[in-house]
Amino acid sequence: MINNKNLEALIKENLALVKHRIKFACRRAERKPTDVKLLLATKTVGSTAIKLALENGGSLIGENKVMELIYKRKDLSGLSIPIHFIGHLQISKIKDVTSRVNCIHSVDRLELAQKLNSHLQYQGKSMEVLLQVNTSGEASKFGVSPEKALQLAILVSRYDSLKINGLMTIGHYGADVDKQRACFKLLKDLNLKISELALPNTEMRVLSMGTSNDLEIAIEEGSTIVRVGTAVFGPRRVSDSYYWNELDS
Ligand SMILES: *Cc1c(COP(=O)(O)O)cnc(C)c1O
């Protein structure tokens, strides 16, 4: 078992490296580093490691699974840390999520938006959301298709308890830089088009795109939130297909 001192040193070093990558990517793209937020994608990562990351410069985390969200929210209850939900959200889990997160990145279908809105209305609150777009066209990924994204935005914007803040994508998962870039360009283009519709409850200021693999390209294409897991916490023991593929959440 790795002891906490080693773990802390590792996380600290990794975090510094990732922040450096963000800074340099911003410099190249002539953007302000403060315009890009680092979200720590903490799926499979235990509360101890998360706390160490937060003590060493992390300030925002993202969870994929409701079960993990529930126990980590409890473990981190002493800290006023924002948590975003970045995984596939099942309608039956809505009530477990709305009380525990500050933003949901994965609104990708009308039925989910409608049920979310009703539940929030009932709770008397509103929630910041992003619409998730499947920019890579890969069947294994969730998200509305690019062709249907505008239509979804129009329909979701009628729900007063949902505040649409922008878009999220997972992008192309592979080493092909042109394909990665094309996904991010597409998301940015859709963001602009939706913004031009001047919809109610909508302010398209967030582009949640870029991970450990491709954050530089995402930043060059306008990302405002990069979601980074392995580059900070090391490789995961559970395959990503468990998080990105299966219907059960
Ligand atoms: C796991 C995950 C990430 C982070 O991926 P890494 O390759 O670990 O940086 C980003 N976004 C989503 C939706 C994820 O599930």
Side-chain angles (χ1 to χ4, degrees):
M1 202 181 131
I2 188 162
N3 74 38
N4 280 358
K5 258 225 163 73
N6 291 341
L7 185 63
E8 177 163 23
L10 186 77
I11 287 173
K12 196 171 174 172
E13 193 179 306
N14 286 348
L15 253 178
L17 215 68
V18 167
K19 288 192 171 183
H20 233 74
R21 285 174 60 190
I22 293 172
K23 202 169 101 183
F24 275 90
C26 284
R27 189 175 292 173
R28 268 203 315 277
E30 297 181 1
R31 300 185 54 198
K32 282 188 293 192
T34 48
D35 289 347
V36 181
K37 280 197 190 129
L38 170 60
L39 176 149
L40 301 173
T42 46
K43 57 177 179 264
T44 77
V45 177
S47 304
T48 305
I50 295 176
K51 281 181 191 159
L52 291 172
L54 298 175
E55 283 163 15
N56 286 284
S59 55
L60 168 64
I61 71 176
E63 282 294 337
N64 289 65
K65 293 273 176 187
V66 175
M67 285 309 290
E68 288 186 51
L69 172 67
I70 292 173
Y71 88 77
K72 290 177 201 174
R73 186 40 111 184
K74 208 163 144 212
D75 289 352
L76 303 173
S77 61
L79 310 163
S80 59
I81 174 83
I83 302 187
H84 290 186
F85 193 77
I86 63 174
H88 179 66
L89 180 53
Q90 282 183 298
I91 285 164
S92 61
K93 305 279 172 68
I94 284 175
K95 62 177 185 327
D96 297 315
V97 170
T98 52
S99 55
R100 291 182 174 87
V101 303
N102 309 79
C103 177
I104 297 171
H105 289 220
S106 48
V107 172
D108 61 355
R109 58 206 192 279
L110 191 60
E111 194 194 3
L112 172 64
Q114 187 233 322
K115 296 271 163 60
L116 251 179
N117 184 65
S118 311
H119 187 71
L120 289 162
Q121 241 173 2
Y122 169 76
Q123 289 186 313
K125 59 184 215 176
S126 62
M127 174 72 67
E128 297 186 358
V129 300
L130 307 179
L131 305 180
Q132 182 177 355
V133 184
N134 182 351
T135 52
S136 69
E138 287 158 46
S140 60
K141 303 215 181 104
F142 295 108
V144 65
S145 71
E147 297 75 32
K148 292 183 180 153
L150 266 69
Q151 180 68 7
L152 182 65
I154 291 167
L155 296 172
V156 174
S157 72
R158 295 177 188 164
Y159 297 133
D160 289 331
S161 296
L162 302 182
K163 304 299 168 196
I164 306 177
N165 272 356
L167 302 178
M168 180 274 242
T169 197
I170 292 178
H172 173 74
Y173 196 76
D176 188 327
V177 171
D178 292 337
K179 281 189 183 162
Q180 290 170 346
R181 191 179 297 282
C183 290
F184 300 144
K185 273 192 193 299
L186 178 56
L187 199 74
K188 187 182 185 178
D189 184 51
L190 288 170
N191 207 68
L192 188 65
K193 283 188 175 137
I194 293 169
S195 170
E196 284 167 358
L197 298 174
L199 299 168
N201 302 310
T202 301
E203 214 179 307
M204 303 300 283
R205 51 194 168 75
V206 176
L207 279 174
S208 170
M209 58 188 198
T211 64
S212 296
N213 267 331
D214 51 19
L215 68 90
E216 281 85 357
I217 302 164
I219 289 171
E220 283 169 28
E221 298 305 331
S223 172
T224 67
I225 299 182
V226 291
R227 307 179 310 268
V228 178
T230 50
V232 172
F233 298 106
R236 286 180 289 273
R237 266 169 280 169
V238 182
S239 152
D240 281 346
S241 64
Y242 170 69
Y243 289 90
W244 291 352
N245 232 341
E246 292 181 16
L247 284 167
D248 182 53
S249 129

